[in-house]
Amino acid sequence: MTSSNFAIVDRYLASELSARALALALSRGWVDSLLERERLDAAELAGQGRMAAEAARAVLDLLTAAGVVELDGGYRLTTGFRQALAARDLLEAKLWFANVVAPDVHEHFEALLTDVPRFMAKARVFELFRYDRCLEVTPENLAATRRWVGYTTTLTKYEAPAALARLDLAGHSSMLDVGGNSGEFARQACTLVPHLQASVFDLPVVCALGREHVAQFAEGARVRFLAGDLRGQDLPRGHDLVSFKSVLHDWPEDHAAAFLGKAVEVLEPGGRLVVFERGPLRLDGAPLSYAMVANLVFLPFFRSPEFYVEVLAGLGMADIAVDWIELEMPFFLVTARKVAR
């Protein structure tokens, strides 16, 4: 699972029209039928999709232009798209979220670039990420939170290997993943290091969903969830590795710095702190794919690693290093060691 997964998937999310045609084909069962039966003609697909023949042909034209299907004695999935389906969960997650955020970008593009508070007040996507719904475990709050936790879990499934491959985890025995969501990042770390025990600190509803997620895996038994709210609580002690994966960009600089301070305070002497985040978007003159609209909506929140380096240095951390990782956009890994006193 490397950057190639993102490149293969994003190829089929290049334009909004082709992406929406693909979403329709998935929802109407066309993709699954073509996987089962190899070839189908336009009339069969129209009938299955409960569409008029003209509408089905328009969708098929878009899918053909996008390289999803080809006409060869009937419509069939291309070899390239079949390869993309190896990461179908990633494809569907990115497709879903791009289509969720696109209306906000369309309607409030100027505010996105010039007035972030106004954009956040108007953009409907932020209703999805409601932390106030994560404090009390109720059926309603679980349902409201499940979709975005599922989305971020899928992203982490494909992002985490690139970061974990660059960390020497063998010397660590106890990991604390702050804001660790479903526990996917911690779970993958436990897969790599059989003796590692991991704790995930997150809001109560997120922890409840995380317990469901890690229970599917053998190594999930080594991932425990500690429900809390970092805004008003201290972190638990007793860990020689503390990580923040795609968490700190959600918060203003003063909050992010305070959270790092809490992590350094509880980190065992000689232990290591890790920040894995998206960096500022670099276009380099290239056209922006529709797949990137999901990241464009968070454009104002992506910081350079220098902010974290400065904060950690001010907290007395040593051996601070930055490692850039290219996935579907630039990521960076900041690592630092707590000096043993």
Side-chain angles (χ1 to χ4, degrees):
M1 295 178 187
T2 66
S3 59
S4 63
N5 293 95
F6 291 97
I8 292 168
V9 163
D10 286 358
R11 184 185 310 160
Y12 300 98
L13 306 177
S15 75
E16 182 169 0
L17 284 177
S18 62
R20 291 192 179 274
L22 177 55
L24 184 60
L26 285 162
S27 68
R28 297 297 174 95
W30 286 10
V31 170
D32 289 318
S33 293
L34 289 169
L35 284 170
E36 292 172 5
R37 296 182 55 186
E38 188 67 27
R39 289 178 178 81
L40 291 167
D41 61 34
E44 290 174 303
L45 291 166
Q48 178 181 320
R50 301 179 301 284
M51 283 187 250
E54 294 80 3
R57 288 194 194 94
V59 174
L60 287 165
D61 285 346
L62 287 169
L63 295 174
T64 301
V68 174
V69 300
E70 59 189 357
L71 190 56
D72 179 19
Y75 286 95
R76 68 177 184 180
L77 300 176
T78 64
T79 300
F81 185 71
R82 286 177 177 271
Q83 184 181 12
L85 287 176
R88 182 169 178 167
D89 54 348
L90 179 63
L91 172 69
E92 292 186 334
K94 295 195 71 174
L95 182 59
W96 167 73
F97 195 65
N99 288 340
V100 166
V101 303
D104 287 329
V105 175
H106 294 163
E107 295 175 34
H108 310 298
F109 184 73
E110 181 182 356
L112 170 64
L113 298 180
T114 65
D115 189 344
V116 174
R118 180 161 64 93
F119 176 75
M120 293 184 68
K122 290 180 175 293
R124 290 184 292 273
V125 67
F126 295 107
E127 279 293 307
L128 185 66
F129 299 91
R130 286 272 301 273
Y131 292 157
D132 61 312
R133 291 176 176 164
C134 299
L135 299 175
E136 182 181 1
V137 180
T138 66
E140 295 77 16
N141 287 341
L142 287 167
T145 306
R146 188 179 298 277
R147 194 67 195 261
W148 71 257
V149 166
Y151 170 68
T152 53
T153 296
T154 301
L155 293 184
T156 299
K157 173 183 173 181
Y158 291 92
E159 293 163 353
L164 294 173
R166 301 181 186 221
L167 296 172
D168 181 7
L169 299 176
H172 296 285
S173 61
S174 182
M175 174 184 186
L176 175 65
D177 193 21
V178 183
N181 199 263
S182 68
E184 176 63 18
F185 190 71
R187 180 196 72 78
Q188 289 196 31
C190 287
T191 301
L192 293 173
V193 184
H195 65 266
L196 186 67
Q197 299 288 326
S199 298
V200 173
F201 184 91
D202 214 317
L203 297 170
V205 173
V206 178
C207 286
L209 295 171
R211 292 185 188 100
E212 291 180 14
H213 174 68
V214 301
Q216 306 171 73
F217 306 93
E219 63 274 15
R222 290 186 280 123
V223 180
R224 65 170 179 158
F225 288 82
L226 305 174
D229 188 339
L230 188 56
R231 293 169 292 185
Q233 293 177 236
D234 292 331
L235 290 168
R237 295 180 177 272
H239 301 89
D240 58 18
L241 175 66
V242 177
S243 58
F244 292 86
K245 191 272 175 194
S246 301
V247 174
L248 296 173
H249 73 267
D250 280 345
W251 301 96
E253 289 187 356
D254 57 340
H255 283 70
F259 295 162
L260 286 170
K262 289 185 176 186
V264 170
E265 172 65 24
V266 302
L267 180 64
E268 290 291 298
R272 186 162 46 158
L273 188 144
V274 173
V275 175
F276 182 36
E277 278 285 358
R278 285 176 170 80
L281 189 61
R282 297 195 299 264
L283 299 181
D284 298 326
L288 191 65
S289 165
Y290 181 66
M292 289 301 295
V293 75
N295 293 320
L296 184 64
V297 77
F298 297 111
L299 182 64
F301 309 106
F302 297 139
R303 304 184 181 98
S304 72
E306 283 71 24
F307 167 78
Y308 302 103
V309 169
E310 182 177 344
V311 171
L312 292 170
L315 291 167
M317 297 291 280
D319 300 333
I320 303 171
V322 177
D323 193 1
W324 284 95
I325 301 171
E326 288 295 328
L327 296 174
E328 89 277 25
M329 66 175 290
F331 280 69
F332 58 81
L333 195 65
V334 177
T335 57
R337 181 177 56 84
K338 185 173 181 177
V339 177
R341 300 186 186 280

